[in-house]
Amino acid sequence: MTRGWWKHMVLILGAIIVLAPFYMMLSYSLKSPGEIDRGVGGFFGRQEMMVDPRCVALRQPDRADIDAARARFPGQDDAGIQAALQAETETACSMRPVVFNYTKAFTEAPLMRYLLNGVIVTVSIFLIQIVVALPAAYALAKLRFWGREAVFGLVLFCLLIPVHAIALPLYIMLAKLGLTNTYAALVVPWTISVFGIFLMRQFFMTVPDDLIDAARMDGMSELAIVWRVMLPTAIPALLAFAIFSIVAHWNDYFWPRIVVTGNRDLFTPPLGLREFKGDGDGSFFGPMMATATIIVTPLIVAFLIAQRRFIEGITLSGMK
Amino acid sequence: MANLKVTSVTKQFGETPVLKGITLDIADGEFVSLVGPSGCGKSTLLRIIAGLEAPTGGTVAIGDMDVTGMQAADRNLSMVFQSYALYPHLSVAENIAVPLRMREVTGLQRLPVIGGLMPGARGQKQSIATSVARAADRLEIGGLLNRKPGQLSGGQRQRVALGRALVRDPAAFLLDEPLSNLDAKLRVQTRAEIAELHRALNATFIYVTHDQVEAMTMSDRIAVMMGGEILQCAAPEIIYEDPDDIRVAEFIGSPKINILPLERYGSDLSLFGRSLDWHVTQDSPQVMQLGLRPEALHLTQSAPRLRGRVAHFENLGSEVFAQIALEDDAMRVTLRATPAERQMLGLGAEVGLAFDTRSAMAFDADGKRLRKIEAMAGVTSEVA
């Protein structure tokens, strides 16, 4: 055994701690409720056919059904027909647990709508953050103006303010403007990201001044320099920022929970998880975990795609 | 193509004066080098001419039009930067096309999809492509047009930067130490190419460098700058042979000019206490300095003016530079000798030196050239 084995042990332990919840989430999303309750079935569960009690309850045959089905079951009395119909319903309502969990995820709540809301909100936030942060960062990094250091000091100061501390005043302002229960309430408070300004400013500091002077000589306006020169060179930094921003707002439960009070059409994916919170009749862990899996999948896929671009990046090597 | 006129330009960064009243007239088609040690303000002057920096006082005129308050882009000047400053995300062709696109294509036409549908877009695209191809051919980078700057060598990047400057047909070219990031061999080659390009284009070039060889070999005129002032602006041979100031004499020339103390006793000038048989008037300054280029010195056996010991020598093949310690190591002078004289220059050998009076230069204690004294001394020595 090599001498560094204990480092690997520590790292493996850390990885297990991080991955365990994901393992549980994925495993529960595949298992039947019984298996989840009893904690059996390994990772995949046994995938035995199961009957959806809710489906059966909804399709309970009534008088009219029995009358209509009389022709199909000649010579049977009503109780017999009812029993036969019951059996048919149970067959129709039985399915594999994995199918049950994932169909429930989509049918029980308008999950597609929630996902769409999530996309609208996170993408709007990210785009507006860039529109604000890039020119601000450019000015702070490359333009000389009176009070620049003071403004940068304010940016650093704002980094220290926790979101939860200002949540209430923000909510009150939005409420006074009549903006609660709108997309605006979900997006507007996040559009100015001081972290984004700080991150991009630090990156722009490394861009040679000559490049900006060359662009000025070539006839670009200051805004053209931001969008045509700084933005393309800043792609790696922007991707890093995108991961922070998109992950934070896609997964955010706190803020949507505050400003979206009634209108379910505005629910973001994390709010959608609440739909499976059992009130009196126990929780639906299977469909709930299926929903959670569906919610995190786009993030994981996006990260894997962006990861390659991270490493490639556009290097500034063309300038030296 | 245009002439360029800089009139009493000053620049201060906070309290620090960087330029102390620069006046410079550059004729149409002239190649002028701004040369000086780092921090002398030469790059600042170039940036003021370019419009990237605003002067604290004074004016800049291009083609007899005052452009002092005008933006960089509107001055129609091209600049080549030391770091080349190519756009890393654009291909070579796109890099070269940027100045034309920014000047000739409207904002609407530059939009990705709609732009192509605008009237006249196709013709413009074609004419830009033609100009880019012509510039690329001129610099022999036609084969690189689709590459990104990151895939190019230093020399190739340098050519692309030149191409970007060339394509817009500017009033003048401004070059800010364009060769300092190249290796020595490529630098010599590119130096010649830039000089040729200047002749072919017959355009005004302003070339900033700290390398005196570049300045000497390429320019019509050299402006030697030091401490925010132009000490002398003249043709390279004049700068070398007839400098106005001891700082110019010391900066230009490699190895450096030898400076020796010169004293006046009555009407007699003497060097290290020995009389030189040079006679000047009584009102001449008491203490002066004598400047002697290494090639003005030669070895002699009879009646040497200077005596010393060889302290170090460098053989470059075609010539030998020897450092001679004079007067018990009080001072060293550099001598340029021919390879034939090498055996006389063994380490520690005692040698006698004489010098050509006509190529000796006298400076006062502050470093100003004393042409009057030289004339007086020159006449007397010729008579003697």
Side-chain angles (χ1 to χ4, degrees), chain A residues 111-168:
Chain A
L111 185 58
M112 288 312 285
R113 171 84 205 205
Y114 298 168
L115 288 171
L116 180 70
N117 285 341
V119 170
I120 291 173
V121 169
T122 43
V123 170
S124 316
I125 290 175
F126 180 59
L127 288 183
I128 302 176
Q129 278 177 338
I130 289 177
V131 168
V132 175
L134 247 63
Y138 172 70
L140 287 173
K142 293 294 179 190
L143 301 182
R144 287 194 300 247
F145 56 91
W146 187 86
R148 182 176 82 163
E149 297 313 310
V151 173
F152 185 58
L154 280 179
V155 168
L156 290 180
F157 175 72
C158 286
L159 276 175
L160 303 176
I161 302 175
V163 173
H164 305 85
I166 54 168
L168 204 56

Side-chain angles (χ1 to χ4, degrees), chain A residues 210 213 217-218 319-320, chain B residues 47 53 83 87 157 168:
Chain A
D210 276 359
D213 285 337
M217 295 295 293
D218 287 343
M319 285 176 231
K320 272 278 173 206
Chain B
R47 290 170 58 81
E53 204 92 54
S83 60
Y87 305 112
R157 282 178 205 165
R168 62 191 294 185

Side-chain angles (χ1 to χ4, degrees), chain B residues 37-348:
Chain B
S38 42
C40 71
K42 54 189 192 298
S43 285
T44 309
L45 178 59
L46 194 75
R47 290 170 58 81
I48 287 175
I49 295 172
L52 296 169
E53 204 92 54
T56 311
T59 59
V60 178
I62 300 170
D64 299 323
M65 189 173 66
D66 187 354
V67 296
T68 315
M70 203 184 262
Q71 286 213 315
D74 303 328
R75 297 186 183 195
N76 192 27
L77 300 171
S78 283
M79 191 153 167
V80 177
F81 294 88
Q82 184 179 357
S83 60
Y84 316 136
L86 301 177
Y87 305 112
H89 59 289
L90 298 181
S91 72
V92 167
E94 287 164 329
N95 259 290
I96 297 177
V98 165
L100 293 182
R101 277 172 60 87
M102 296 314 294
R103 185 171 62 187
E104 287 164 23
V105 185
T106 62
L108 211 54
Q109 286 170 331
R110 280 200 298 270
L111 289 177
V113 182
I114 315 158
L117 306 172
M118 290 284 138
R122 181 179 280 260
Q124 255 168 347
K125 218 172 154 187
Q126 215 117 57
S127 83
I128 288 178
T130 322
S131 308
V132 169
R134 201 177 322 129
D137 281 345
R138 174 154 234 159
L139 296 160
E140 292 160 24
I141 47 171
L144 307 174
L145 286 177
N146 293 320
R147 302 241 197 117
K148 292 274 171 71
Q151 301 165 298
L152 303 180
S153 71
Q156 289 169 330
R157 282 178 205 165
Q158 216 272 338
R159 282 160 186 276
V160 177
L162 272 174
R164 189 173 61 178
L166 201 65
V167 77
R168 62 191 294 185
D169 213 3
F173 288 87
L174 312 178
L175 300 99
D176 189 1
E177 311 213 8
L179 304 184
S180 54
N181 278 342
L182 300 180
D183 62 59
K185 205 173 154 192
L186 203 54
R187 204 178 303 165
V188 173
Q189 185 193 336
T190 316
R191 203 165 74 196
E193 280 170 3
I194 290 180
E196 266 174 44
L197 191 66
H198 168 245
R199 276 197 294 278
L201 294 172
N202 200 20
T204 314
F205 274 58
I206 305 177
Y207 189 100
V208 164
T209 180
H210 61 265
D211 185 326
Q212 45 157 316
V213 181
E214 284 172 24
M216 292 293 286
T217 50
M218 300 163 80
S219 340
D220 295 324
R221 274 196 301 158
I222 299 178
V224 182
M225 289 185 69
M226 233 165 267
E229 289 173 299
I230 292 183
L231 297 177
Q232 189 172 4
C233 181
E237 52 276 12
I238 296 177
I239 293 280
Y240 185 78
E241 292 162 11
D242 192 15
D244 283 344
D245 194 289
I246 201 166
R247 288 174 290 173
V248 176
E250 281 185 309
F251 189 77
I252 301 287
S254 171
K256 226 168 105 173
I257 193 168
N258 301 303
I259 302 291
L260 300 171
L262 201 59
E263 279 176 69
R264 180 177 61 82
Y265 295 106
S267 64
D268 225 23
L269 288 183
S270 69
L271 194 60
F272 295 117
R274 278 194 292 277
S275 172
L276 282 173
D277 292 335
W278 288 2
H279 302 288
V280 294
T281 50
Q282 292 282 349
D283 57 342
S284 306
Q286 183 70 43
V287 178
M288 289 175 269
Q289 305 178 77
L290 185 70
L292 289 168
R293 294 276 179 206
E295 63 271 19
L297 290 167
H298 51 89
L299 291 168
T300 185
Q301 249 113 44
S302 59
R305 285 199 151 121
L306 298 165
R307 280 187 183 283
R309 196 171 45 74
V310 176
H312 178 68
F313 76 89
E314 289 168 340
N315 186 359
L316 303 182
S318 62
E319 56 198 4
V320 177
F321 291 109
Q323 295 202 2
I324 316 281
L326 302 176
E327 307 294 316
D328 301 325
D329 277 351
M331 198 155 264
R332 280 188 179 190
V333 294
T334 311
L335 160 75
R336 182 172 151 182
T338 59
E341 294 168 314
R342 207 179 58 217
Q343 66 270 29
M344 294 200 283
L345 293 169
L347 273 185

Side-chain angles (χ1 to χ4, degrees), chain A residues 86-125:
Chain A
Q86 186 79 25
E88 274 182 7
T89 328
E90 281 188 16
T91 325
C93 282
S94 66
M95 54 187 94
R96 305 270 173 211
V98 54
V99 180
F100 170 75
N101 288 341
Y102 281 89
T103 42
K104 267 279 179 275
F106 281 101
T107 53
E108 201 72 0
L111 185 58
M112 288 312 285
R113 171 84 205 205
Y114 298 168
L115 288 171
L116 180 70
N117 285 341
V119 170
I120 291 173
V121 169
T122 43
V123 170
S124 316
I125 290 175

